[in-house]
C-alpha cells in the first residue's frame, strides 16, 4: 500500500452546502416534481373523465313533460271511438284542454296540430290508451303528463343550438321556444325524473326521447347469471385441481401456461371464438344472452381461476395437515376446511371477474348483441335464448346513431353501467375487509 | 498481525477525536431504541460496537451518517459532531455528510452493474474526477485499497454480482472508499461471509485504519478483539462500557459487560 | 319435451336417487351407520352422480351434434336434387334453418297449429307473410326446394329430439339401477365418489385447454378458408385496404399492412402517454410518497383500470376528439388545421394511454418494490441522493421487469377494441400524421363481422385472418413479457 499515508483531502465545512450538492439537490427536487406531475396527470384524467360522464349523462335522467289537466266526457269518448281516425280526435281534445290552460295562464299561442307536434309530439294515442283502459275516469279531470318533444327537452337542458333555428324548421321554430318558456313559468311544463329511461326499452329514431335502457340491463343481468353459474363452479373446480391435486408434470404446466395466456388474450378474440364455435358451428341462436354468457364465461374463467388459486394458496398448509391428521381424506380436507376458508377470497375474485365481464363490449358485437330490442322477453328461458342487447352494447348502439338525444342517452347509460360496477366493487372491498384473515 | 494490533493500541490515545456523540436518543415510533449514548470516536482507529442482538448498536451506527433519515418512523435527538460540526444541523445536507462518512452493510450489496461502474458510481455522483483518466485512477486505487484489485483487474467490465461473497464485500468496501471518506462505518461486514473471506476482510479493515476512522459493528467478540483498538459495549439501548479493547476484554468494569464477554448473556 | 324440462327431470331423478340409495345403504346395514364403509351420504352422492353426470353429458353432446348432423344429411339430399351453380351451400342451409326455425316459432306462438305447418309450406307467399309476422324475414331466393328441405329438417329434428329424450332418460335410470345394485354395507362409496369428483375437477381444468383449442380452431379453420379465396401474398403485402361491399369477393383489396400500421401507431401513442406517466407515478408512489398520499393516489389511479373500455371509447369520440379538434383542427386555437375530424390516431392513442396508466404503474410498482432495500442503502450510504439512487441503481436493476410490464401494456394496446372502434376512425391509411383518422386490426374485425356480408365471402373471412394476426402478435408479446418478468422475479427471490 503505497498511498496508505496520503492524508485524505481536508474538505470544506459540512455546514456549507457546496455548489455541486446544490445542483444535485435541484435535480432531486425536479425528479420529485416529475413524479408529482405524473400522478396529477393520472388523477386529472380520472377527474376529467368522470366530469365528462356526469355532465353529459345526468340530463339523460331528466325529461321535460307537459302537464295538462284534461276532462273527457262519456259523449266525447263515444264520439271519438266511432270515428275512423280516433287518435286525431283525441289530439283535438288535448289541444282544446291545452288551449284552455294557455288562455287562463294568459299565454298567446297558436296550438295548431303542427305547433303541437313541435311541442309535444303525437299525443292522441296516449289519451286513447288511457281512456280505453280506464273508462271510469271519463268525466273526471285527469292530469296528463306527456313527454315534450325532444328538441324542447334539449332546449331546457341547454344542448340545443338555438341560434341555428329558422322559422321554417319542421321540428322547431323560434316562437315555440317562447311558448315553452311561458308554459314552464305557468307550470304547464316541468322537468321531471325520467323513470322511462331506466325501465324502458330501445326505440327507433323517430322517438329518441322515449328510449330506455331497461331491456339491455336485463340482457346484461341474464348474461351475468349465465357467467356466475358457469364460471364460478368451473373456475373453482379447476383451481382446486391445479392447486391441491395436480401432480407436477408437463400436462399441469401446459394447463397453467394456457390459463395465464388466456388471461391476456384480447377480448375480441373471444368474440371470434364465440362466433365461429357457438354460432357458426353449433348453430346456437345469434344475439342471445345465453351465447353472450358462454363467451364471457370463457373470458372470465382465467381471472376467477387466478384469484381462486391465490386464495387457496393463502390457506396455510397446517390446516390441511390438521384435517389429514384426524383421518380425513384429501378431498374432505379440501372441501371441508380449505374451501370454506378461501371462500371470501374466491367470492371477491368472482365479483371482480363479473364486473369485468359486465363492462365488456367487443365480443358481444361479434355475436350480434347490438340489435334493436324493443321488447322485454316474456319468460326467463325466452330471455336467455331470444335476441337481446347488453348494457355496454346498447350504449355503443346509441353512440353510433346520429341523433344528439341518443348520445345523451349513451352517457346516461354509462352512469348506470358505472353504478353497477361501483356497487360490485364496493361489495368486493367490503367482503375483503370483513373476512380478511392474516395467518 | 494480531500482535500488531496490540502494539499499536498505545498510540490510539494520542489520536484526535473524529466523532463525538453526546446524549443521543433514538426512537422507532414509540420504541426507545437508543438511550442517552455518549461516545468519542478517534481518528485512524478501529472502534468496535459489540453487544447482543437488538441492543441498538447498528441503530447508533446508522445515526453517524444519518441513514436513519431514510426510515420514516425513526427520530434521533442529541448531539453528534464530526470534526466539531453538528451533523444534525439544519444546514447539513445528508448527501454531503455521507460522502465523508461512508458505509458498508451487513449483506454485500453490489449494484447490478459492472465492477468498474460499481466503484466509479460514488466518484461520479460526487464529481471527484475531472476526466476518464482520473476516474480510472480512482477506481484502481480504490480496488487496491479494497484488496481486490488483483482478483478483478482483468474483468472490470464483468458484473459485480458475479463475484463470490467475500469478493463482493471487499468490492463494497472499495466502493465506499472510492468517495474518499474520512470515516467508514461497517455494519457486521463479515456476518454473511465464510471464515476465509472473513479473514481477508478483517485484514483489510486493519489496513484501512491507517487512513480512516473505522467503526465496526460486530456480533463476534473475537472479531472485535482481533481488529479493534477501542470497543463499546451496548446493552438494551444503553452504552454500558467504552474503552480500550484490551481493557474491555480483560478487565471489564461493568458486570453486564463481563456477563456478555464470558457468554452468560447475549 | 324441451331441454329445460329434460334438465329438470334429470335433477329430480338424481335427487330421488340420492335419497332412495341412501336409504338402501342404511337398510343394508340394518340402520346402524357405523357398519357402513362410508357415511350414508356418500352412497347417495354416488347415485346422484351416476344418474346425472352421464345423462347430462350425453344431452349436451346431443344438443351440439344434432343440428350439425341433421344439417349435413339435409344438405346432402339437397345437393343430389338440384343445386345450381351460383347457389352457395352454406347460404342455402341458413335459409333452410331460418324457415324451419320460423315455423317452430309460429307454432310456439300459436299462429298456426302443428298440423297446419305441413300445409302452409305449400304456399310460398303465405309462408313468407306468416313468418314475417313472427319476426323471421325470408330472402327473395327462398324456393320450394328450400321449404321442402326445411320441412325435412323439422321432421328429422322432431324425431331425433324424441329419441334424445328417451336415450337421456334411459341413461339416467340405468345409472340409478347401477348405483342401486352396488349399494351395500361394504361398498367403498366415499372412494368412488372422490374419484368421480376428481375426474370432474380435472375436466374443469381442461376447459382452459379446450378454450385455447377452440380459439385456434376457429381462427385457423376460417383463415385457411380465407386464403383459399384470397391470395395470401396480397393479404400480407398489399398496401391497400378497400373491401368491396357490393358483390361477393372479386374487387376487394384486403392488405393487412395499413391496419397493422394503424394498430402500431395508435399503440405507440398510447405507450408514449402511459409509460412515462405510469412509470413516474409508480416511482413517486413507491419511493417518495408518504403512506397517506399513497393510500389515496394509488386507489384513484386504479379506478382508471376498472372503467370499461366502452366508456373510454365514448370519452374519446365525444370529449377528447372535439377537444383536440378545437386546438389542431380547422379554425382551431393553434390555427394549424392538421386535424380533419374528431376521430384520429391521437384521439384514440391519448385515451388508450390514460387507460393503460394504472396498468403500467401497478406492474412497475410491484417490480420496483421487488428491488432489495439493501441496494438502495448501498447507494444512499455512499452519499447518493434519492433520485440518483432511483435512476442509477433501482431502475437499472428493475429494467427487465419494467420492459416486461411495457410489453404487456403494448399487447393490451394492440388488442384493445372499443376505443379504436369509436375513437380512431374507419379509414385505413398509411400516413405519418397522428391527427389523421386511421384504423386498426381490431376495429376492422368488428366492422367486417358485424356488417351484412355473408360469412363465406372473403370480406367476412378476412376478419379471421386479422384475428389470427392479432392473436399471434399478442400471444408472442405476452409469452415473451411473462418470461422476462418471471426471470426477473427469480433473480430477487
Amino acid at each position: 500500500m503505497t498511498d496508505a499515508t496520503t492524508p485524505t483531502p481536508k474538505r470544506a465545512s459540512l455546514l456549507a452546502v457546496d455548489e455541486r450538492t446544490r445542483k444535485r439537490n435541484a435535480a432531486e427536487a425536479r425528479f420529485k416534481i416529475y413524479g408529482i406531475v405524473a400522478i396529477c396527470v393520472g388523477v386529472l384524467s380520472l377527474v376529467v373523465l368522470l366530469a365528462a360522464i356526469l355532465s353529459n349523462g345526468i340530463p339523460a335522467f331528466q325529461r321535460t313533460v307537459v302537464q295538462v289537466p284534461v276532462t273527457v266526457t262519456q259523449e266525447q269518448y263515444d264520439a271519438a271511438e266511432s270515428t275512423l281516425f280516433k287518435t286525431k280526435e283525441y289530439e283535438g281534445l288535448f289541444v282544446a284542454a291545452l288551449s284552455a290552460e294557455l288562455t287562463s295562464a294568459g299565454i298567446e299561442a297558436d296550438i295548431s296540430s303542427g305547433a303541437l307536434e313541435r311541442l309535444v309530439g303525437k299525443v292522441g294515442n296516449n289519451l286513447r290508451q288511457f281512456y280505453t283502459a280506464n273508462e271510469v275516469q271519463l268525466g273526471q279531470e285527469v292530469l296528463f303528463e306527456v313527454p315534450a318533444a325532444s328538441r324542447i327537452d334539449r332546449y331546457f337542458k341547454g344542448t340545443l343550438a338555438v341560434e341555428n333555428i329558422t322559422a321554417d324548421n319542421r321540428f322547431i321554430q323560434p316562437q315555440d321556444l317562447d311558448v315553452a318558456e311561458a308554459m314552464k313559468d305557468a307550470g304547464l311544463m316541468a322537468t321531471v325524473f325520467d323513470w322511462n329511461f331506466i325501465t324502458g326499452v330501445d326505440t327507433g329514431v323517430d322517438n329518441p326521447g322515449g328510449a330506455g335502457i331497461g331491456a339491455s340491463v336485463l340482457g346484461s343481468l341474464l348474461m351475468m347469471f349465465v357467467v356466475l353459474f358457469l364460471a364460478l363452479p368451473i373456475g373453482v373446480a379447476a383451481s382446486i385441481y391445479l392447486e391441491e391435486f395436480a401432480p407436477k408434470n408437463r400436462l399441469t404446466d401446459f394447463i397453467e401456461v394456457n390459463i395465464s395466456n388466456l388471461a391476456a388474450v384480447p377480448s375480441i378474440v373471444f368474440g371470434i371464438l364465440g362466433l365461429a364455435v357457438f354460432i357458426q358451428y353449433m348453430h346456437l341462436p345469434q344475439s342471445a344472452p345465453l351465447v353472450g354468457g358462454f363467451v364471457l364465461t370463457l373470458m372470465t374463467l382465467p381471472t376467477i381461476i387466478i384469484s381462486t388459486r391465490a386464495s387457496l394458496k393463502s390457506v396455510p398448509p397446517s390446516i390441511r395437515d390438521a384435517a389429514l391428521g384426524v383421518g380425513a381424506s384429501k378431498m374432505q380436507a379440501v372441501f371441508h376446511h380449505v374451501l370454506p376458508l378461501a371462500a371470501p377470497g374466491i367470492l371477491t375474485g368472482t365479483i371482480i371477474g363479473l364486473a369485468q365481464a359486465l363492462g365488456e363490449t367487443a365480443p358481444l358485437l361479434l355475436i350480434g348483441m347490438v340489435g334493436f330490442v324493443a321488447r322485454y322477453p316474456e319468460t326467463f328461458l325466452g330471455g336467455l335464448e331470444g335476441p337481446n342487447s347488453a348494457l355496454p352494447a346498447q350504449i355503443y348502439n346509441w353512440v353510433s346513431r346520429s341523433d344528439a338525444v341518443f348520445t345523451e342517452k349513451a352517457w346516461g347509460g354509462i352512469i348506470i353501467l358505472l353504478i353497477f360496477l361501483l356497487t360490485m366493487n364496493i361489495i368486493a372491498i367490503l367482503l375483503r375487509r370483513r373476512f380478511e384473515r392474516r395467518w | 498481525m494480531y500482535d500488531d494490533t496490540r502494539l499499536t493500541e498505545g498510540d490510539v490515545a494520542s489520536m484526535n477525536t473524529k466523532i463525538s456523540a453526546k446524549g443521543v436518543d433514538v426512537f422507532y415510533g414509540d420504541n426507545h431504541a437508543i438511550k442517552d449514548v455518549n461516545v468519542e470516536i478517534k481518528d485512524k482507529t478501529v472502534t468496535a460496537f459489540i453487544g447482543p442482538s437488538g441492543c441498538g448498536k447498528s441503530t447508533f451506527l446508522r445515526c453517524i451518517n444519518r441513514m436513519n433519515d431514510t426510515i420514516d418512523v425513526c427520530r434521533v435527538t442529541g448531539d453528534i459532531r464530526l470534526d466539531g460540526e453538528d451533523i444534525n444541523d439544519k444546514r447539513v445536507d445528508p448527501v454531503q455528510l455521507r460522502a465523508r462518512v461512508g458505509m458498508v452493510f451487513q449483506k454485500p450489496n453490489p449494484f447490478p452493474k459492472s465492477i468498474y461502474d460499481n466503484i466509479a458510481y460514488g466518484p461520479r455522483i460526487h464529481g471527484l474526477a475531472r476526466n476518464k483518466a482520473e476516474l480510472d485512477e480512482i477506481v484502481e486505487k480504490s480496488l487496491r485499497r479494497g484488496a481486490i484489485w488483483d482478483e478483478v483487474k482483468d474483468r472490470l467490465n464483468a458484473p459485480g454480482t458475479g463475484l463470490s461473497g467475500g469478493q463482493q464485500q471487499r468490492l463494497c468496501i472499495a466502493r465506499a472508499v472510492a468517495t474518499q471518506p474520512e470515516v467508514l462505518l461497517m455494519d457486521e461486514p463479515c456476518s454473511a461471509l465464510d471464515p476465509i473471506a472473513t479473514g481477508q476482510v478483517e485484514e483489510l479493515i486493519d489496513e484501512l485504519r491507517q487512513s480512516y476512522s473505522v467503526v465496526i459493528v460486530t456480533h463476534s467478540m473475537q472479531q472485535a478483539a482481533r481488529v479493534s483498538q477501542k470497543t463499546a459495549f451496548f446493552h438494551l439501548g444503553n452504552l454500558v462500557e467504552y474503552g480500550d479493547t484490551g481493557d474491555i476484554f480483560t478487565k471489564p468494569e461493568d458486570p453486564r459487560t463481563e456477563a456478555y464477554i464470558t457468554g452468560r448473556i447475549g | 319435451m324441451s331441454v329445460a324440462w329434460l334438465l329438470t327431470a334429470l335433477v329430480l331423478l338424481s335427487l330421488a336417487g340420492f335419497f332412495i340409495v341412501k336409504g338402501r345403504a342404511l337398510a343394508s346395514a340394518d340402520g346402524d351407520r357405523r357398519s357402513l364403509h362410508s357415511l350414508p351420504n356418500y352412497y347417495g352422492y354416488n347415485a346422484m352422480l351416476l344418474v346425472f353426470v352421464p345423462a347430462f353429458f350425453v344431452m349436451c353432446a346431443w344438443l351440439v351434434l344434432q343440428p350439425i348432423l341433421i344439417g349435413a344429411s339435409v344438405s346432402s339430399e339437397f345437393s343430389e336434387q338440384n343445386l345450381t351453380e351460383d347457389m352457395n351451400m352454406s347460404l342455402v342451409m341458413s335459409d333452410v334453418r331460418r324457415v324451419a326455425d320460423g315455423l317452430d316459432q309460429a307454432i310456439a306462438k300459436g299462429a298456426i297449429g302443428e298440423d297446419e305447418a305441413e300445409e302452409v309450406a305449400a304456399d310460398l307467399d303465405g309462408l313468407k307473410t306468416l313468418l314475417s309476422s313472427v319476426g323471421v324475414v325470408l330472402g327473395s331466393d327462398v324456393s320450394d326446394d328450400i321449404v321442402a328441405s326445411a320441412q325435412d329438417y323439422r321432421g328429422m329434428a322432431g324425431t331425433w329430439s324424441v329419441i334424445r329424450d328417451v336415450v337421456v332418460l334411459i341413461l339416467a335410470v340405468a345409472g340409478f339401477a347401477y348405483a342401486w345394485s352396488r349399494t351395500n354395507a361394504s361398498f367403498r362409496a366415499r372412494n368412488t365418489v372422490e374419484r368421480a369428483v376428481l375426474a370432474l375437477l380435472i375436466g374443469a381444468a381442461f376447459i382452459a385447454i379446450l378454450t385455447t383449442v377452440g380459439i385456434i380452431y376457429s381462427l385457423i379453420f376460417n383463415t385457411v378458408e380465407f386464403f383459399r379465396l384470397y391470395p395470401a401474398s396480397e393479404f400480407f403485402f398489399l398496401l391497400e385496404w378497400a373491401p368491396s361491399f357490393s358483390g361477393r369477393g372479386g374487387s376487394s383489396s384486403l392488405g393487412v399492412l395499413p391496419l397493422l400500421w394503424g394498430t402500431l401507431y395508435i399503440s405507440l401513442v398510447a405507450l408514449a402517454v402511459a409509460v412515462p406517466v405510469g412509470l413516474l407515478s409508480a416511482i413517486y408512489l413507491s419511493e417518495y410518497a408518504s403512506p397517506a398520499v399513497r393510500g389515496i393516489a394509488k386507489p384513484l389511479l386504479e379506478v382508471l383500470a376498472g372503467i370499461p373500455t366502452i366508456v373510454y371509447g365514448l370519452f374519446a369520440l365525444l370529449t377528447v376528439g372535439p377537444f383536440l379538434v378545437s386546438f389542431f383542427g380547422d379554425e382551431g386555437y393553434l390555427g394549424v388545421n392538421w386535424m380533419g375530424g374528431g376521430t384520429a390516431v391521437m384521439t384514440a392513442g391519448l385515451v388508450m394511454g390514460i387507460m393503460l396508466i394504472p396498468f403500467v404503474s401497478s406492474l412497475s410498482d410491484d417490480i420496483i418494490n421487488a428491488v432489495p432495500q439493501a441496494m438502495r442503502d448501498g447507494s444512499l450510504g455512499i452519499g447518493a441522493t434519492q433520485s440518483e439512487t432511483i435512476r442509477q441503481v433501482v431502475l437499472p436493476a428493475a429494467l427487465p421487469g419494467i420492459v416486461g410490464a411495457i410489453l404487456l401494456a403494448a399487447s393490451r394496446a394492440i388488442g384493445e377494441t372499443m376505443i379504436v372502434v369509436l375513437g380512431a376512425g374507419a379509414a385505413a391509411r398509411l400516413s405519418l400524421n397522428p391527427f389523421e383518422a386511421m384504423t386498426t386490426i381490431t376495429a376492422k374485425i368488428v366492422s367486417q363481422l358485424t356488417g351484412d356480408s355473408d360469412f363465406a365471402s372473403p370480406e367476412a373471412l378476412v376478419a379471421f385472418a386479422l384475428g389470427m394476426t392479432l392473436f399471434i402478435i399478442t400471444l408472442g408479446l405476452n409469452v415473451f413479457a411473462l418470461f422476462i418478468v418471471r426471470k426477473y422475479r427469480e433473480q430477487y427471490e
Side-chain angles (χ1 to χ4, degrees):
Chain A
M1 282 264 161
T2 51
D3 56 353
T5 50
T6 320
T8 39
K10 183 68 194 165
R11 294 188 202 163
S13 161
L14 269 180
L15 298 175
V17 175
D18 63 33
E19 186 56 28
R20 187 178 173 84
T21 311
R22 226 193 310 274
K23 274 190 193 149
R24 288 171 58 199
N25 284 339
E28 171 80 17
R30 276 200 305 279
F31 190 73
K32 224 167 150 174
I33 288 170
Y34 297 151
I36 293 173
V37 168
I39 288 176
C40 289
V41 168
V43 174
L44 191 73
S45 309
L46 179 67
V47 171
V48 171
L49 179 62
L50 293 182
I53 292 169
L54 289 180
S55 66
N56 290 308
I58 283 181
F61 292 88
Q62 300 163 338
R63 83 194 298 189
T64 310
V65 290
V66 179
Q67 295 163 322
V68 183
V70 180
T71 313
V72 176
T73 62
Q74 186 72 45
E75 296 81 60
Q76 285 171 320
Y77 176 70
D78 293 338
E81 284 299 312
S82 62
T83 55
L84 193 55
F85 301 105
K86 302 183 177 73
T87 53
K88 194 79 191 160
E89 287 298 313
Y90 286 102
E91 199 171 296
L93 296 172
F94 184 81
V95 169
L98 181 56
S99 307
E101 286 298 319
L102 290 176
T103 325
S104 70
I107 303 168
E108 288 282 319
D110 158 46
I111 304 290
S112 63
S113 80
L116 183 77
E117 241 171 66
R118 293 198 302 271
L119 283 174
V120 293
K122 295 189 193 299
V123 293
N125 203 29
N126 293 25
L127 263 75
R128 177 163 186 249
Q129 273 177 357
F130 176 79
Y131 283 112
T132 45
N134 306 285
E135 283 194 40
V136 288
Q137 300 270 27
L138 287 169
Q140 294 166 15
E141 190 181 86
V142 179
L143 184 71
F144 267 91
E145 196 178 88
V146 290
S150 72
R151 279 168 179 78
I152 297 290
D153 190 38
R154 279 167 58 198
Y155 171 69
F156 284 117
K157 287 173 184 169
T159 53
L160 189 68
V162 182
E163 60 278 5
N164 294 341
I165 299 170
T166 51
D168 56 350
N169 192 312
R170 194 160 64 84
F171 300 108
I172 191 130
Q173 292 170 5
Q175 73 268 21
D176 297 335
L177 300 179
D178 302 333
V179 175
E181 286 284 1
M183 284 172 75
K184 187 155 196 177
D185 293 339
L188 291 171
M189 254 189 204
T191 303
V192 297
F193 188 83
D194 187 6
W195 281 107
N196 179 58
F197 175 64
I198 295 174
T199 58
V201 295
D202 195 8
T203 57
V205 282
D206 51 328
N207 179 20
I213 201 145
S216 53
V217 168
L218 184 71
S220 275
L221 292 182
L222 287 171
M223 280 199 303
M224 291 305 108
F225 178 82
V226 175
V227 174
L228 185 65
F229 275 79
L230 288 177
L232 183 60
I234 295 177
V236 171
S239 316
I240 290 178
Y241 174 69
L242 291 174
E243 200 57 44
E244 307 284 344
F245 294 101
K248 286 268 161 278
N249 59 22
R250 302 257 287 281
L251 183 65
T252 309
D253 278 352
F254 182 63
I255 296 178
E256 292 190 4
V257 167
N258 256 302
I259 290 172
S260 60
N261 281 327
L262 282 178
V265 165
S267 60
I268 184 109
V269 172
F270 285 96
I272 294 180
L273 167 78
L275 178 67
V277 173
F278 294 136
I279 292 177
Q280 267 190 324
Y281 187 69
M282 294 188 188
H283 300 291
L284 294 176
Q286 235 179 340
S287 320
L290 185 69
V291 180
F294 285 166
V295 172
L296 294 182
T297 298
L298 295 183
M299 216 188 77
T300 319
L301 262 181
T303 317
I304 294 186
I305 291 179
I306 289 168
S307 70
T308 303
R309 291 189 66 180
S311 34
L312 288 175
K313 210 176 272 174
S314 73
V315 176
S318 58
I319 303 279
R320 294 173 186 81
D321 294 345
L324 296 177
V326 295
S329 68
K330 184 95 195 265
M331 197 67 82
Q332 285 171 322
V334 170
F335 278 90
H336 296 168
H337 297 283
V338 179
L339 200 55
L341 289 172
I346 295 173
L347 276 185
T348 311
T350 307
I351 293 173
I352 289 171
L354 279 182
Q356 241 177 44
L358 181 64
E360 196 54 66
T361 322
L364 302 184
L365 301 186
L366 295 196
I367 57 164
M369 292 197 68
V370 273
F372 174 68
V373 180
R375 273 196 295 245
Y376 274 102
E378 285 142 22
T379 59
F380 178 72
L381 275 176
L384 281 178
E385 282 177 356
N388 204 335
S389 188
L391 190 44
Q394 180 73 70
I395 294 170
Y396 171 73
N397 195 339
W398 279 338
V399 185
S400 26
R401 299 182 196 169
S402 53
D403 197 309
V405 179
F406 281 123
T407 310
E408 182 186 286
K409 299 262 175 192
W411 284 110
I414 280 183
I415 293 186
I416 293 189
L417 178 61
L418 290 185
I419 288 175
F420 272 105
L421 294 182
L422 193 68
T423 317
M424 293 169 92
N425 279 296
I426 288 177
I427 292 174
I429 290 170
L430 290 181
L431 265 179
R432 195 178 296 164
R433 288 256 170 89
R434 173 81 178 73
F435 292 105
E436 193 169 55
R437 201 190 289 253
R438 295 243 175 263
W439 297 99
Chain B
M1 154 186 173
Y2 301 125
D3 299 330
D4 286 349
T5 310
R6 288 264 176 269
L7 280 177
T8 49
E9 228 166 51
D11 310 337
V12 170
S14 62
M15 291 294 174
N16 299 324
T17 297
K18 189 72 188 171
I19 298 162
S20 82
K22 287 201 183 71
V24 177
D25 287 270
V26 181
F27 302 86
Y28 277 110
D30 294 333
N31 180 18
H32 198 171
I34 296 282
K35 297 161 191 159
D36 190 26
V37 165
N38 297 288
V39 70
E40 302 229 318
I41 291 164
K42 304 278 184 195
D43 202 5
K44 310 229 188 303
T45 306
V46 177
T47 308
F49 290 175
I50 59 169
S53 333
C55 65
K57 52 196 190 302
S58 291
T59 305
F60 182 68
L61 189 77
R62 292 167 66 95
C63 292
I64 300 174
N65 72 345
R66 288 179 59 179
M67 277 299 278
N68 284 330
D69 289 15
T70 61
I71 299 167
D72 288 333
V73 294
C74 187
R75 192 161 52 83
V76 182
T77 62
D79 186 58
I80 302 176
R81 286 175 184 278
L82 176 68
D83 289 339
E85 288 175 329
D86 181 5
I87 65 164
N88 288 316
D89 192 289
K90 277 198 181 63
R91 287 168 292 174
V92 172
D93 193 316
V95 165
Q96 260 174 303
L97 170 70
R98 290 178 201 147
R100 286 169 61 176
V101 184
M103 188 155 187
V104 176
F105 296 84
Q106 190 167 0
K107 243 179 88 182
N109 54 355
F111 303 136
K113 299 162 173 278
S114 70
I115 292 170
Y116 182 94
D117 285 336
N118 259 286
I119 305 295
Y121 177 71
R124 275 194 188 126
I125 58 174
H126 293 294
L128 299 181
R130 272 164 302 193
N131 50 45
K132 180 81 170 75
E134 270 188 28
L135 191 61
D136 287 347
E137 195 188 314
I138 293 176
V139 169
E140 181 179 343
K141 206 160 82 181
S142 309
L143 285 170
R144 282 189 193 282
R145 283 224 177 143
I148 192 179
W149 170 253
D150 294 328
E151 290 155 71
V152 301
K153 65 182 174 207
D154 303 322
R155 45 174 175 149
L156 290 176
N157 288 320
T161 42
L163 298 172
S164 73
Q167 287 172 323
Q168 284 189 8
Q169 193 60 300
R170 278 179 287 146
L171 180 72
C172 290
I173 293 173
R175 184 178 71 191
V177 166
T179 58
Q180 302 174 10
E182 297 152 35
V183 180
L184 269 183
L185 307 177
M186 298 191 178
D187 190 356
E188 301 189 29
C190 302
S191 66
L193 305 183
D194 61 47
I196 294 172
T198 302
Q200 288 166 326
V201 171
E202 285 179 1
E203 201 171 330
L204 171 61
I205 290 170
D206 195 58
E207 281 171 20
L208 290 171
R209 176 167 66 87
Q210 295 171 333
S211 325
Y212 311 99
S213 165
V214 179
V215 186
I216 175 169
V217 163
T218 175
H219 249 112
S220 144
M221 285 171 282
Q222 289 78 3
Q223 187 173 51
R226 284 195 298 266
V227 302
S228 71
Q229 291 81 49
K230 298 283 255 185
T231 295
F233 173 64
F234 284 79
H235 186 243
L236 298 176
N238 296 303
L239 176 59
V240 176
E241 197 168 345
Y242 177 56
D244 289 342
T245 301
D247 296 343
I248 295 276
F249 282 96
T250 52
K251 36 183 192 293
E253 286 168 9
D254 194 287
R256 285 170 291 179
T257 317
E258 192 182 353
Y260 180 70
I261 59 177
T262 53
R264 272 181 287 136
I265 56 170
Chain C
M1 193 156 36
S2 79
V3 177
W5 282 112
L6 190 57
L7 203 58
T8 318
L10 277 186
V11 170
L12 290 177
L13 275 176
S14 57
L15 281 176
F18 176 82
F19 288 109
I20 293 171
V21 170
K22 184 179 168 186
R24 178 180 159 88
L26 277 172
S28 74
D30 300 327
D32 180 6
R33 44 189 292 163
R34 286 174 302 176
S35 57
L36 286 172
H37 169 269
S38 314
L39 291 174
N41 275 350
Y42 279 105
Y43 295 89
Y45 291 143
N46 184 41
M48 216 166 147
L49 287 169
L50 277 171
V51 171
F52 189 79
V53 174
F56 179 74
F57 280 116
V58 166
M59 185 184 86
C60 289
W62 202 298
L63 284 175
V64 170
L65 293 177
Q66 179 174 309
I68 298 169
L69 294 179
I70 292 182
S73 133
V74 169
S75 71
S76 70
E77 260 172 52
F78 194 91
S79 57
E80 279 165 25
Q81 293 171 21
N82 39 5
L83 185 65
T84 45
E85 261 320 289
D86 60 333
M87 287 171 92
N88 184 316
M89 199 60 223
S90 69
L91 279 181
V92 168
M93 280 316 295
S94 78
D95 277 339
V96 169
R97 278 202 188 87
R98 203 174 297 154
V99 174
D101 281 355
L103 282 170
D104 284 342
Q105 278 182 35
I107 293 167
K109 286 186 180 152
I112 48 168
E114 182 74 52
D115 13 311
E116 290 169 57
E118 312 274 324
E119 298 157 28
V120 81
D123 168 22
L124 204 54
D125 291 328
L127 181 72
K128 280 187 186 173
T129 3
L130 172 73
L131 292 192
S132 65
S133 77
V134 295
V136 178
V137 182
L138 295 182
S140 58
D141 53 350
V142 172
S143 62
D144 287 330
D145 296 332
I146 288 181
V147 177
S149 292
Q151 289 293 11
D152 268 3
Y153 187 95
R154 286 192 60 234
M156 280 159 97
T159 319
W160 282 105
S161 296
V162 172
I163 298 178
R164 175 196 70 201
D165 294 350
V166 171
V167 168
V168 167
L169 290 178
I170 286 177
L171 259 176
V173 173
F176 172 73
Y178 183 60
W180 170 271
S181 70
R182 289 189 67 186
T183 300
N184 56 57
S186 60
F187 173 53
R188 295 167 161 248
R190 184 177 55 72
N191 307 46
T192 315
V193 168
E194 288 185 351
R195 265 200 303 280
V197 169
L198 187 63
L200 289 177
L201 297 184
I202 294 175
F206 268 87
I207 298 259
I209 294 183
L210 273 183
T211 310
T212 310
V213 169
I215 289 175
I216 292 175
Y217 159 81
S218 52
L219 289 173
I220 288 187
F221 185 77
N222 289 293
T223 305
V224 168
E225 196 65 27
F226 169 68
F227 284 136
R228 222 182 290 161
L229 296 170
Y230 191 86
S233 61
E234 284 195 21
F235 175 72
F236 285 116
F237 300 110
L238 201 64
L239 294 178
E240 190 191 23
W241 173 269
S244 77
F245 295 103
S246 51
R248 291 177 181 167
S251 58
S252 291
S253 308
L254 302 170
V256 72
L257 288 177
L259 306 185
L260 198 59
W261 168 243
T263 305
L264 294 180
Y265 202 1
I266 291 174
S267 305
L268 208 67
V269 174
L271 289 180
V273 174
V275 170
V277 174
L279 194 55
L280 286 170
S281 309
I283 289 171
Y284 186 83
L285 288 178
S286 60
E287 303 280 329
Y288 287 106
S290 64
V293 172
R294 195 177 153 86
I296 295 169
K298 207 170 145 67
L300 274 183
L301 286 182
E302 272 161 14
V303 168
L304 284 173
I307 292 176
T309 55
I310 177 79
V311 180
Y312 284 107
L314 217 64
F315 183 59
L317 178 68
L318 299 173
T319 309
V320 176
F323 177 76
L324 287 177
V325 169
S326 73
F327 278 92
F328 301 101
D330 195 14
E331 295 176 15
Y333 297 126
L334 301 179
V336 285
N337 193 13
W338 287 339
M339 210 167 167
T343 55
V345 169
M346 209 58 182
T347 312
L350 278 180
V351 174
M352 205 190 280
I354 294 175
M355 182 191 82
L356 291 176
I357 288 173
F359 192 72
V360 174
S361 80
S362 63
L363 278 176
S364 316
D365 197 24
D366 290 351
I367 283 156
I368 289 171
N369 283 333
V371 174
Q373 185 59 31
M375 211 82 98
R376 293 182 183 82
D377 283 346
S379 172
L380 294 172
I382 54 176
T385 63
Q386 218 168 340
S387 65
E388 285 161 349
T389 305
I390 293 163
R391 278 185 298 196
Q392 300 184 34
V393 177
V394 176
L395 286 186
L399 191 64
I402 290 173
V403 169
I406 293 172
L407 288 180
L408 284 179
S411 138
R412 271 279 175 101
I414 289 171
E416 173 48 44
T417 310
M418 292 321 291
I419 296 178
V420 292
V421 165
L422 289 171
R429 48 166 87 86
L430 281 163
S431 157
L432 276 174
N433 181 358
F435 294 100
E436 246 181 299
M438 285 184 208
T439 195
T440 67
I441 294 179
T442 49
K444 282 299 145 188
I445 293 177
V446 170
S447 70
Q448 295 311 108
L449 287 180
T450 52
D452 292 329
S453 58
D454 145 37
F455 270 153
S457 71
E459 283 77 17
L461 285 174
V462 69
F464 293 96
L466 292 175
M468 190 84 190
T469 318
L470 179 71
F471 183 70
I472 289 173
I473 295 176
T474 52
L475 187 72
L477 277 174
N478 289 331
V479 169
F480 186 52
L482 288 176
F483 172 77
I484 293 182
V485 171
R486 190 172 304 159
K487 276 266 163 287
Y488 168 76
R489 289 263 155 78
E490 280 165 6
Q491 184 189 333
Y492 290 119
E493 263 165 16

